[in-house]
Amino acid sequence: MNLKEELEQKKQYFENELDKYMPGESSYPEILFKSMRYSLFAGGKRLRPIMLIEACEAFGGDAQKAMPFACAMEMIHTYSLIHDDLPALDNDNFRRGRLTNHKAFGENIAILAGDGLLSYAFEIMSNAVVENLDINSAKAMQAVAFAAGVNGMVSGQTVDVICEGKKIDKQTLDFIHLNKTAAMIVGAVKAGAYLGGADEKTIEKLEKAAIKLGIAFQIQDDVLDVIGTFDELGKTTNSDEKNDKVTYVSLFGVEESKNFTEKLSNEAIEIFKSCGDNMDFFVELTKYLIDRRS
Ligand code: FPP
Ligand code: MG
């Protein structure tokens, strides 16, 4: 099986589980759960939860133990996309091949669906921590909280928003990428590794690799915004230019941005390889993500 097929299989398995964790559309108030499910089951790649589960298994842990944390990760990621698309932020009409949440349900419900996904994520993780009563589950939740909040994604997004329309340097752009995007990838890998029982030294190395992979992933995202098509990406392209955003592409051009991606990915691969004998998935995934078209 090649990696693409393997990812598709893992995605199917995860989505079945995610469905079980999420209240059905007939739960009251229906509009809230419909709206949450609309974006949650809109065909994302599920990279963060897959990475979390894989990291857990790589260190001898069980996928079922990782599941509430993996679901939480995808709920937080989906909330961030819903809010990112709002008129007050990127004002986008399409995401994952369908209308954005606020276009389908209205701004008020879209804001609440995001709030609901974020808080529900912490509800299911804290339920798991209470049930498992072990320090590694608590550390996994801590890693996710750190990644999602003011030490990660929310701060990255804030700097992204306040820099719109301004000329910024590479250092500021790297802060945005590190926090807005790489933090959640780091959070997924670290949470999984804690659940699998990896030691702190290995987790420090995994963090370094995941940072590089995460920044490369965002640079590639910016490249795809310029060279990709609506059909490939499921969203309107050239959004960064429209929103007057500085990106690697606007600073360095497409070719040089691709070189940055390749260099960071190769560095990430070397670090992953030094994290143990079960790192093949992360090595292959990193290679695969450099060449992704969606
Ligand atoms: C696409 O992920 C998303 C990113 C590259 C990250 C962008 C970051 C934000 C939108 C942060 C927003 C934060 C707040 C607080 C509003 P993907 O390619 O994995 O998407 P998929 O899940 O649809 O496949
Ligand atoms: Mg955005």
Side-chain angles (χ1 to χ4, degrees):
M1 204 177 356
N2 64 29
L3 186 70
K4 198 166 183 239
E5 289 162 350
E6 204 185 319
L7 282 172
E8 192 50 44
Q9 211 175 65
K10 290 181 194 303
K11 181 175 144 163
Q12 290 304 327
Y13 169 67
F14 169 71
E15 282 184 3
N16 273 337
E17 297 295 313
L18 182 64
D19 192 29
K20 293 183 207 157
Y21 274 91
M22 198 57 212
E25 292 199 348
S26 53
S27 310
Y28 183 81
E30 291 90 344
I31 186 83
L32 175 64
F33 294 101
K34 264 203 171 85
S35 164
M36 287 162 74
R37 292 186 71 100
Y38 173 86
S39 293
L40 198 56
F41 294 101
K45 295 183 287 298
R46 315 307 195 183
L47 287 174
R48 295 153 192 82
I50 290 173
M51 284 189 218
L52 192 153
I53 296 165
E54 286 294 320
C56 175
E57 289 185 327
F59 296 97
D62 173 50
Q64 277 304 318
K65 186 176 179 190
M67 206 50 74
F69 301 89
C71 291
M73 203 75 216
E74 189 65 9
M75 287 173 194
I76 296 170
H77 169 59
T78 302
Y79 118 75
S80 82
L81 301 181
I82 296 174
H83 282 190
D84 186 56
D85 290 333
L86 286 166
L89 286 106
D90 280 356
N91 193 20
D92 276 316
N93 295 340
F94 292 95
R95 167 77 73 177
R96 292 174 166 174
R98 52 170 79 174
L99 284 174
T100 44
N101 198 290
H102 65 275
K103 282 284 163 191
F105 293 90
E107 260 183 80
N108 48 6
I109 298 298
I111 291 169
L112 292 165
D115 296 341
L117 285 166
L118 174 59
S119 22
Y120 197 62
F122 281 90
E123 189 173 327
I124 62 174
M125 282 191 291
S126 56
N127 285 343
V129 170
V130 169
E131 211 168 283
N132 297 343
L133 270 184
D134 74 319
I135 188 69
N136 285 338
S137 297
K139 284 187 177 176
M141 177 163 155
Q142 191 180 44
V144 176
F146 192 87
V150 295
N151 290 299
M153 185 175 68
V154 173
S155 284
Q157 181 75 354
T158 304
V159 178
D160 189 348
V161 164
I162 60 178
C163 288
E164 237 177 67
K166 291 197 184 128
K167 289 227 167 320
I168 56 168
D169 55 13
K170 180 173 178 294
Q171 201 186 352
T172 311
L173 188 57
D174 284 341
F175 177 93
I176 295 173
H177 287 183
L178 174 64
N179 288 280
K180 185 178 87 166
T181 307
M184 287 285 281
I185 290 174
V186 171
V189 174
K190 277 180 86 172
Y194 275 124
L195 290 164
D199 59 67
E200 288 291 346
K201 238 184 142 145
T202 305
I203 290 178
E204 266 175 40
K205 283 202 275 185
L206 285 169
E207 173 160 11
K208 290 202 172 94
I211 286 175
K212 289 178 186 289
L213 170 58
I215 294 177
F217 185 78
Q218 182 60 58
I219 299 173
Q220 180 69 359
D221 202 72
D222 295 344
V223 168
L224 290 175
D225 187 58
V226 176
I227 68 166
T229 65
F230 182 91
D231 282 348
E232 285 168 336
L233 301 174
K235 60 182 183 179
T236 318
T237 52
N238 289 310
S239 157
D240 294 326
E241 196 183 349
K242 188 187 76 192
N243 289 324
D244 213 359
K245 280 193 190 179
V246 171
T247 65
Y248 263 69
V249 179
S250 70
L251 283 184
F252 305 107
V254 168
E255 283 315 307
E256 194 55 20
S257 299
K258 283 186 181 165
N259 292 340
F260 275 114
T261 310
E262 202 166 322
K263 181 171 181 287
L264 284 162
S265 302
N266 288 333
E267 289 168 1
I269 287 170
E270 286 315 305
I271 306 174
F272 279 131
K273 282 183 179 164
S274 75
C275 290
D277 296 333
N278 291 329
M279 286 289 115
D280 286 1
F281 175 82
F282 284 96
V283 170
E284 291 309 312
L285 182 71
T286 306
K287 289 182 192 160
Y288 174 80
L289 290 176
I290 322 178
D291 296 322
R292 75 196 168 98
R293 292 288 306 188
S294 67

